[in-house]
Amino acid sequence: MAQRAGEGRCVVVVGCQWGDEGKGKIVDVLAEQVDAVARYQGGANAGHTVHVGAEEFILHQIPSGILHTGKRCLLGNGVVLDLVQFCEEYDKLLARGLELDGRIGVSLRAHLLLPYHRALDRAAEDQAAQKIGTTGRGIGPAYQEKVGRRGIRVADAFDDDRFRELVAEGLEAARRALPRLGEEEAKALAEETERAVELRGRILGLAVDAGKELDEGLEAGWRVLLEGAQGTALDLDHGTYPFVTSSNTTAGFAATGSGIGPTRIDSVLGVVKAYTTRVGEGPLPTGFDPEMDERMRELGGEFGATTGRPRRCGWFDGVLARYAARVNGLTGIAVTKLDVLDTLPEISVATAYRTPQGVTSDFPADTHGLDRVEPVLETFPGWESPTTGARSLADLPRNARVYLDRIEELMHAPVEMVSVGTRRSQIIHVT
């Protein structure tokens, strides 16, 4: 029998839409019961918003588990670590009174992201005929260097001379790739890069063999969460290519990006928002008309945690959700932001797409064709009553329970958690 997503000693938490599903809150809630949380891909382009009491924390690279005292938080080899942003985030958490000593580790095999990667990213997006909607945080260029075997890893920083030589080569290559860079801009970029290099000592004190630590911890009885960034539809292989991120966001990469064997993983919890959102460019088959889009954006506070960009909104896309359940091998589902739908008289779900070739329930590989599909919608009566005080399924209005049942049917996996507000306490654990 498959392990339930909230059970087992090693659980993957993965987004099942275009990111922004509320994974940070789910990890934060589950982290109380584990020993370690490890991030397995992405970089500072992620943004996890977590509310603790009256305080709001926005985390970009440090795993959400850091908000629980005593939990070990690791950044795996699949991450591209922005030296400057990481140190800024670390210092902000210290300033807010968090105890971080001995709690954060960075994989020796993680690749470093430097200021010239951000310059390359912005220039590529500015010059592109087809915009991707990148955050401009340098993620793509950093992964390009990694794949091209020109990257700089945390392990390289232990040799000062070699590290500076590698950075100088990377900076010079970036200058050649940025012919429009003026003399003053080039000088500023060199100075910014030097400031990043000077932070290397701080990273060295945190460097560990993350995969070995996780493996030994699991052997000793640890419970571990593996945390992804973005969502399934932004996966480099399985997403709406080319409107995707530069890494594999799906659960299959959790083992590779954290440095443990795949047989260590017991279960996979997929996080879905009760509706669908997307930030950046690319298709959104269930997207609302402008008026409803604006209304939902305001109801759900749908603005990017990393960039502040408004998210496009739409009905729950059951075609994408079913696809995500398959490619991630979900054993359970966490539904977030159910409360955002509380005031709607009717709620729709896409169960299939109508295409020029006919109706399909499969998520297509042809991203450009996805622009031309029409969602086949199934409409439910809303519940038009608040759910924020619910702490069990029985507390929810009947129509809300019917809606959750339909999500289960579409995704062929059980709903195990339901979020009805921003606070830790506003979670329904389904038993």
Side-chain angles (χ1 to χ4, degrees):
M1 179 180 289
Q3 194 92 40
R4 286 175 64 85
E7 298 176 350
R9 288 192 291 114
C10 189
V11 180
V12 180
V13 178
V14 63
C16 292
Q17 295 159 316
W18 276 280
D20 307 310
E21 300 96 345
K23 297 180 296 299
K25 178 184 178 180
I26 298 301
V27 170
D28 173 66
V29 169
L30 293 176
E32 187 176 2
Q33 307 300 323
V34 306
D35 300 285
V37 180
R39 171 87 175 272
Y40 64 81
Q41 50 80 219
N45 57 334
H48 290 167
T49 303
V50 180
H51 291 85
V52 181
E55 291 193 85
E56 179 182 84
F57 294 85
I58 300 178
L59 302 166
H60 296 282
Q61 294 187 95
I62 296 173
S64 307
I66 200 66
L67 302 179
H68 288 274
T69 303
K71 308 303 179 182
R72 180 69 164 156
C73 293
L74 298 170
L75 282 77
N77 55 277
V79 169
V80 287
L81 182 76
D82 185 326
L83 267 173
V84 175
Q85 194 281 332
F86 174 84
C87 290
E88 289 175 351
E89 186 172 332
Y90 190 101
D91 291 341
K92 286 178 182 177
L93 291 175
L94 279 178
R96 294 181 70 173
L98 270 71
E99 175 55 56
L100 304 182
D101 189 36
R103 294 186 55 208
I104 298 176
V106 178
S107 173
L108 287 159
R109 294 175 171 84
H111 280 247
L112 295 175
L113 187 153
L114 294 157
Y116 55 78
H117 292 121
R118 292 194 290 273
L120 288 166
D121 198 2
R122 291 190 294 268
E125 183 75 352
D126 288 344
Q127 296 166 23
Q130 183 183 61
K131 307 295 185 185
I132 300 298
T134 173
T135 60
R137 299 303 170 97
I139 307 301
Y143 275 117
Q144 285 175 343
E145 287 193 0
K146 175 178 179 175
V147 174
R149 292 160 293 183
R150 303 184 305 276
I152 304 172
R153 303 193 302 171
V154 171
D156 295 318
F158 280 88
D159 184 330
D160 184 59
D161 291 339
R162 173 168 168 72
F163 181 62
R164 289 182 176 277
E165 180 182 334
L166 290 171
V167 172
E169 290 173 359
L171 180 59
E172 181 55 34
R175 283 178 179 148
R176 292 196 299 270
L178 296 166
R180 300 180 186 178
L181 200 67
E183 185 176 336
E184 288 301 313
E185 292 170 309
K187 181 181 178 183
L189 182 59
E191 291 173 349
E192 190 180 355
T193 301
E194 177 57 29
R195 285 194 294 272
V197 167
E198 291 171 357
L199 295 171
R200 84 182 238 288
R202 296 186 63 180
I203 297 299
L204 294 182
L206 304 175
V208 296
D209 187 332
K212 181 182 179 184
E213 181 175 335
L214 287 170
D215 191 73
E216 290 179 347
L218 287 165
E219 197 66 30
W222 273 15
R223 293 195 68 193
V224 172
L225 285 179
L226 303 180
E227 174 186 40
Q230 291 89 37
T232 297
L234 293 177
D235 183 275
L236 185 58
D237 285 272
H238 302 292
T240 49
Y241 191 91
F243 304 104
V244 293
T245 193
S246 303
S247 61
N248 290 107
T249 63
T250 42
F253 191 72
T256 301
S258 60
I260 61 172
T263 53
R264 285 293 195 186
I265 295 171
D266 298 302
S267 56
V268 182
L269 180 66
V271 186
V272 292
K273 200 174 285 183
Y275 48 101
T276 305
T277 62
R278 176 166 199 167
V279 70
E281 302 298 322
L284 182 65
T286 63
F288 292 133
D289 61 55
E291 183 179 348
M292 184 62 180
D293 188 48
E294 183 62 29
R295 180 184 178 189
M296 186 62 75
R297 187 177 301 117
E298 292 301 322
L299 283 173
E302 296 297 348
F303 299 89
T306 297
T307 64
R309 292 181 294 178
R311 298 172 186 145
R312 289 177 285 152
C313 302
W315 294 123
F316 185 86
D317 191 332
V319 181
L320 170 59
R322 182 169 48 242
Y323 172 73
R326 176 173 65 81
V327 298
N328 288 296
L330 298 187
T331 55
I333 308 163
V335 179
T336 63
K337 290 198 166 184
L338 184 70
D339 56 298
V340 175
L341 305 180
D342 285 353
T343 60
L344 302 186
E346 287 187 335
I347 298 163
S348 295
V349 172
T351 58
Y353 296 152
R354 188 171 287 109
T355 76
Q357 293 75 39
V359 175
T360 180
S361 58
D362 294 327
F363 194 71
D366 178 12
T367 298
H368 297 287
L370 199 57
D371 266 332
R372 300 188 292 273
V373 305
E374 177 187 344
V376 177
L377 297 175
E378 197 173 287
T379 300
F380 299 81
W383 42 94
E384 297 185 275
S385 60
T387 60
T388 53
R391 296 297 178 267
S392 70
L393 285 183
D395 294 337
L396 290 174
R398 180 181 181 279
N399 288 348
R401 297 198 302 273
V402 169
Y403 185 66
L404 293 173
D405 288 344
R406 188 61 177 130
I407 290 175
E408 282 191 336
E409 291 171 358
L410 288 167
M411 296 184 70
H412 305 297
V415 170
E416 295 189 359
M417 300 175 71
V418 182
S419 174
V420 291
T422 60
R423 296 183 178 87
R424 284 173 172 170
S425 60
Q426 292 175 302
I427 284 278
I428 296 170
H429 294 273
V430 182
T431 55

